[in-house]
């Protein structure tokens, strides 16, 4: 099931808010539809958001009427600004838009029609590179999983959260493909249940044994020695190895550390933000209180109650045993080793 589809010169996004009950695609005829899909989590997961935004910029370019290159780029920059403001935490969103704009501003082509073709080629490249990096990440990461590993994961970092295959779930998929007989425990992931609705669904589709638990069961599960390792994705990783991921990840990391269980993070290098020194500087998105007070449109809390609803939390690097990337597994000290692997990526 592809979360992002480009066909017949049009963008279609799988509406993940409807899963697993309904498979429905959103036809994105203008860039604002793309932005709204990103904002309301119809498309979600840092790599998928980046790829969707790249195609969203292509859709926006199709709507632009401009007399010359300069005017075209100015209007496109404004569209990129709107798309980039939809979700502040996932760095892949801004990374993809910046890459698209850089490709255009460095191109010598003056013809607007040709510039639009260049944009589509670059969006395809971002999409295809993400699939390739996920598979490479899976190959590196599966080496960390022992035979018969029982893996806890949080939120959804699978094919639905990427252009394809997945980051954390990509590691699990790769181990499954190697015949390691891995099994998964999936946190439900409150308040939007990405683990229950999406991760469980992906694992069932793949034929990988999966057990769904509520978020507050993880600690007891670990105490019963039923978990061998934790693998999660990331929305942003800072230069020192601090990790922003779906709210609840920090608590899982603390529990894993207490029980001496390895805690691994799987993310492409595009998720690493070398401009931020620590996780304290990551902007954390806060979302609609109704995501907490309501479920399926039905109220679960009294009117007037105050709500704090951060979409992400930050796990300090001291709780992370390894960061799995498409260029290899990065170990502490992260400040030194993340810089090395990011520099290697630029050289390549």
């Amino acid at each position: 099931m592809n979360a992002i589809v480009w066909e017949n010169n049009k963008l279609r996004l799988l509406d993940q808010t409807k899963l697993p009950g309904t498979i429905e695609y959103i036809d994105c005829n203008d860039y604002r539809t793309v932005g709204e899909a990103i904002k309301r989590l119809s498309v979600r997961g840092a790599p998928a958001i980046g790829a969707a935004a790249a195609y969203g910029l292509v859709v926006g370019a199709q709507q632009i009427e401009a007399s010359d290159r300069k005017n075209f780029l100015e209007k496109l920059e404004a569209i990129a600004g709107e798309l980039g403001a939809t979700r502040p935490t996932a760095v892949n969103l801004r990374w993809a838009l910046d890459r698209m704009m850089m490709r255009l501003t460095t191109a010598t082509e003056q013809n607007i029609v040709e510039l639009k073709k260049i944009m589509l080629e670059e969006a395809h490249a971002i999409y295809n590179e993400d699939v390739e990096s996920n598979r490479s990440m899976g190959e590196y990461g599966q080496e960390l999983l022992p035979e018969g590993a029982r893996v806890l994961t949080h939120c959804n970092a699978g094919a639905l959260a990427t252009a394809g295959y997945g980051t954390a779930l990509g590691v699990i998929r790769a181990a499954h493909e190697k015949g390691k007989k891995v099994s998964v425990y999936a946190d439900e992931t409150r308040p939007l249940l990405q683990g229950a609705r999406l991760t469980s669904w992906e694992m069932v589709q793949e034929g990988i044994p999966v057990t769904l638990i509520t978020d507050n069961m993880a600690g007891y599960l670990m105490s019963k020695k039923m978990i061998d390792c934790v693998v999660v994705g990331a929305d942003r990783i800072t230069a020192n190895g601090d990790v922003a991921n779906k709210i609840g990840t920090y608590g899982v990391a603390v529990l894993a550390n207490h029980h001496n269980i390895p805690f691994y993070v799987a993310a492409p290098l595009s998720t690493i933000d070398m401009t931020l020194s620590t996780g304290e500087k990551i902007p954390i998105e806060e979302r609609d209180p109704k995501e907490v007070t309501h479920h399926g449109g039905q109220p679960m809390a009294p009117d007037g109650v105050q709500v704090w609803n951060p979409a992400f939390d930050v796990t300090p690097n001291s709780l992370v045993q390894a960061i799995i990337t498409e260029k290899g597994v990065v170990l502490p000290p992260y400040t030194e080793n993340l810089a090395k692997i990011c520099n290697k990526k630029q050289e390549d």
Side-chain angles (χ1 to χ4, degrees):
M1 186 64 59
N2 293 323
I4 302 166
V5 177
W6 183 271
E7 60 183 9
N8 300 322
N9 212 33
K10 292 185 180 297
L11 177 64
R12 305 182 74 219
L13 298 174
L14 178 65
D15 189 348
Q16 296 184 37
T17 66
K18 303 288 182 65
L19 291 174
T22 303
I23 296 174
E24 183 177 308
Y25 279 84
I26 301 168
D27 293 318
C28 301
N29 297 315
D30 62 82
Y31 74 89
R32 288 193 173 92
T33 302
V34 180
E36 183 59 29
I38 293 172
K39 191 170 184 178
R40 68 186 295 269
L41 307 186
S42 293
V43 58
R44 26 74 48 209
I49 289 172
Y55 282 119
L57 202 57
V58 174
V59 172
Q62 292 174 340
Q63 300 173 263
I64 292 176
E65 294 183 7
S67 57
D68 56 49
R69 171 193 165 100
K70 182 176 181 295
N71 185 237
F72 174 73
L73 292 179
E74 286 175 350
K75 291 182 177 180
L76 199 62
E77 188 68 56
I79 292 173
E82 286 188 47
L83 290 172
T86 52
R87 302 201 68 193
T89 303
V91 73
N92 300 65
L93 174 61
R94 190 70 254 176
W95 168 84
L97 293 169
D98 288 346
R99 172 170 163 173
M100 292 286 288
M101 293 304 302
M102 180 63 71
R103 179 67 181 88
L104 288 182
T105 55
T106 57
T108 57
E109 182 61 60
Q110 297 295 316
N111 185 282
I112 293 174
V113 173
E114 293 302 316
L115 286 174
K116 291 179 180 180
K117 290 181 181 178
I118 290 172
M119 288 184 66
L120 182 57
E121 290 171 1
E122 193 67 13
H124 285 333
I126 289 172
Y127 180 96
N128 292 329
E129 287 170 20
D130 187 58
V131 176
E132 292 174 9
S133 73
N134 282 196
R135 290 190 175 276
S136 179
M137 200 182 310
E139 189 60 32
Y140 283 116
Q142 64 83 22
E143 295 180 3
L144 298 174
L145 305 190
E147 173 70 28
R150 297 161 298 177
V151 185
L152 177 70
T153 191
H154 189 74
C155 195
N156 172 262
L160 294 172
T162 64
Y165 202 70
T167 54
L169 294 194
V171 170
I172 293 166
R173 278 195 173 91
H176 176 72
E177 290 166 3
K178 295 285 184 181
K180 285 189 171 181
K181 295 185 175 15
V182 296
S183 58
V184 177
Y185 281 91
D187 278 345
E188 62 176 350
T189 319
R190 281 284 293 149
L192 296 179
L193 305 178
Q194 293 96 329
R197 296 186 301 102
L198 307 178
T199 292
S200 297
W201 185 74
E202 283 198 48
M203 295 294 91
V204 168
Q205 301 301 311
E206 291 284 333
I208 298 174
V210 59
T211 301
L212 178 65
I213 63 172
T214 64
D215 292 358
N216 58 3
M217 294 177 184
Y220 188 56
L221 192 68
M222 292 177 185
S223 76
K224 302 295 284 184
K225 301 188 185 304
M226 295 172 67
I227 296 296
D228 298 301
C229 64
V230 178
V231 185
V232 300
D235 286 80
R236 190 183 305 223
I237 300 172
T238 54
N240 72 335
D242 290 346
V243 176
N245 193 49
K246 182 55 59 183
I247 190 72
T249 302
Y250 173 50
V252 172
V254 170
L255 289 168
N257 180 69
H258 177 77
H259 292 93
N260 296 311
I261 296 171
F263 181 91
Y264 302 127
V265 176
L269 293 178
S270 57
T271 301
I272 300 172
D273 185 355
M274 296 301 290
T275 68
L276 296 186
S277 57
T278 72
E280 293 179 355
K281 298 182 179 180
I282 297 174
I284 299 298
E285 174 187 4
E286 292 194 29
R287 296 185 58 81
D288 190 338
K290 285 187 177 180
E291 292 180 350
V292 175
T293 60
H294 289 65
H295 180 68
Q298 297 300 312
M300 301 187 300
D303 289 341
V305 66
Q306 294 187 31
V307 173
W308 183 49
N309 186 22
F312 306 95
D313 56 26
V314 177
T315 299
N317 59 32
S318 60
L319 300 179
V320 179
Q321 273 64 58
I323 297 172
I324 306 161
T325 79
E326 70 270 33
K327 291 297 182 180
V329 176
V330 183
L331 301 174
Y334 291 118
T335 300
E336 177 182 342
N337 291 335
L338 285 176
K340 284 181 180 178
I341 203 164
C342 287
N343 288 337
K344 185 177 183 298
K345 170 73 171 178
Q346 291 177 346
E347 291 170 3
D348 293 346

